[in-house]
Amino acid sequence: MPLATKDAERTGDEEAPGSGRHGGGGGGGPRRTGAGSRGRRVLRWTAMALSVVVLGTAGAGYLYYQHLNDNIKKDDLNLGDSKVAAPTPNAAGQTPLNILLIGSDARDSKANQKLGGARETFGAPPLADVQMLLHLSADRSNMSVVSMPRDTLVQIPKCTDPDDGEVYPASDGRTMTNESLGHGGPGCTVATWQELTGIHIDHFIMVDFAGVVSMADAVGGVPVCVDANIHSRDSKGHGSGLKLEKGTHPVKGEQALQWLRTRYGFEDGSDLARAKAQHMYMTSMVRELRENATLSSPNKLRKLAEQATKALTVDPGLDTVKKLYDLSNELRKVEPERITMTTMPNRLVGNRVEPTEDAEQLFRLVREDISLDGKDAPKKTGDADDKESDDPAAPDAEIAVQVQNGTSTEALGAANGRASTVAGQLAELGFTGAVADPSTILSEDRTVVRYPSADLEGDAQAVAKSLGIPLGSVKKSTQVSGVTLVVGADWREDTAYEAPEQDNTTPDSADVLNGADDEACMHVDPNFSWS
């Protein structure tokens, strides 16, 4: 069976055999751009927010608390071999939080089979058809969400199944990112994201079809809007079956799932249009959780807690009601107007997609904890990141410095000899303890000097100042054992370092939606409208 056909059946879209995932929009013609994953990612983020908000308030005694804990399924966080360093704390000692939200298309239960169709796929490896990275800023002032199309071509790294020890080798070339879930579990999806983006992921939360439906019922419905009557069904039976009249309506249960899965009938019929609808659902859900007074009902809270805990699979760092509740308290610090929903910028490769240069821009903003809404407070002169350390530096000749080549990028290989060149330059400046590490090739956007402990901060700053590297690029890190200079992609040639002026705006191609936008409405393709 062609992969596009198999995927369509597993997502309930019943895409015609041999049809491209991105071919022909409108008129019921299938065209996908990776939003399928979004539909279900909304589900999972919903699951997280719901579980978090609800779980902590359903305090019906210790036994019930233990019962809810037992409902929660657990899996390892990262099944890959490589790790990404955690971000450096800000001046107040705060660090950002990155959570990967995964929507599984698993057909391993009667409930999921009923909702998803494709009965011949019962028991087949699940696909991570919704993948969404939620980034909570270090100061908890803002939240960014980045969705990745499910058919994005990526290199899936080697992953080891924690249950049976089976080793899944790295993919031979690029393959669709949603296949990562079948390589041992959600921890392989986490490893794939980290490999692609360079973003350290702290947690994951995964939910399946049935969980979305049950939680939508428990919360009482989520308002969504269409600008015309819609029936997502074509003459061949393709479509989610969603049928709504023009205007705003609360959807719940199976109708909520239909909304999240609808592609036929929204805008150009692409997966990106579906992602847009999912973003609308997600932000509307957040507003409902904040404003819906009916959730103060103990019975509704208990029901939501029950359904949410049963629907979730999480990493060990979120495996209790208390941990989820603590997370919810962190998330609730962000007002809806500071929540920014985005889609990873992409371009077509045949009937799949791949990240663009704008995608790397988006990933960098997340890595550097720069808000996607452009509302970060201006950095003040004398901020801790740019302050000289109170730790006195040792004499230059006594400072040991390891120099690594981090000039590799997604588009370019590492620039030859950069570690040796810069180590030699340091030696000429008096840092005779500088040595190149030719065994390590990294990928760093910007040149950085790292140090492991406070007693080496002064030494690290001395190295940076000698080369003209800003003090803001001197970072404490537990991933190094001594002062380590990583020559970044911003210094691929020449001996003099010039800190680049960087554009910190969110690319237009990220299709931004603000969390406070309660007037957003999906455009309906006239071919799927009715009167």
Side-chain angles (χ1 to χ4, degrees), residues 5 29 81 86 92 114 156 183 212 229 253 297 310 318 377 410 459 473:
T5 304
D81 292 337
K114 180 180 178 182
I156 298 177
H183 290 216
V212 176
N229 298 342
S297 162
K310 286 181 178 178
L318 292 177
E410 183 181 336
D459 292 358
S473 294

Side-chain angles (χ1 to χ4, degrees), residues 132-174:
M132 213 183 246
L133 181 69
L134 186 155
H135 172 83
L136 183 62
S137 67
D139 63 5
R140 304 306 188 248
S141 67
N142 67 89
M143 186 188 304
S144 303
V145 179
V146 179
S147 301
M148 185 188 295
R150 67 180 179 183
D151 52 0
T152 300
L153 295 174
V154 297
Q155 181 83 34
I156 298 177
K158 184 184 82 170
C159 291
T160 303
D161 191 318
D163 296 327
D164 58 16
E166 180 177 357
V167 176
Y168 294 84
S171 59
D172 184 12
R174 297 190 302 174

Side-chain angles (χ1 to χ4, degrees), residues 51-71:
S51 60
V52 174
V53 174
V54 179
L55 305 183
T57 54
Y62 178 74
L63 291 179
Y64 185 65
Y65 173 78
Q66 285 300 106
H67 164 71
L68 292 178
N69 284 345
D70 291 341
N71 281 347

Side-chain angles (χ1 to χ4, degrees), residues 443-467:
S443 180
E444 291 280 349
D445 292 331
R446 302 192 66 170
T447 298
V448 62
V449 181
R450 295 190 172 105
Y451 62 95
S453 55
D455 61 325
L456 290 177
E457 183 180 21
D459 292 358
Q461 287 194 354
V463 170
K465 285 189 286 186
S466 73
L467 294 170

Side-chain angles (χ1 to χ4, degrees), residues 428-444:
E428 291 179 3
L429 293 171
F431 293 86
T432 54
V435 295
D437 175 12
S439 66
T440 303
I441 301 296
L442 303 173
S443 180
E444 291 280 349

Side-chain angles (χ1 to χ4, degrees), residues 6-19:
K6 179 184 74 172
D7 273 357
E9 289 172 342
R10 298 186 71 172
T11 54
D13 284 339
E14 305 176 67
E15 192 166 78
S19 63

Side-chain angles (χ1 to χ4, degrees), residues 174 195-198 347 355-357 360-361 363-364 367 405-416 418 441-447 486-493 502:
R174 297 190 302 174
E195 288 275 333
L196 176 67
T197 67
R347 58 176 162 248
T356 63
E357 293 75 13
E360 174 51 35
Q361 164 81 344
F363 298 153
R364 180 184 66 80
R367 285 195 301 267
N405 188 340
T407 58
S408 175
T409 70
E410 183 181 336
L412 299 170
N416 291 331
R418 290 305 291 162
I441 301 296
L442 303 173
S443 180
E444 291 280 349
D445 292 331
R446 302 192 66 170
T447 298
V486 183
V487 183
D490 59 347
W491 197 13
R492 290 178 60 88
E493 56 188 9
Q502 289 202 302

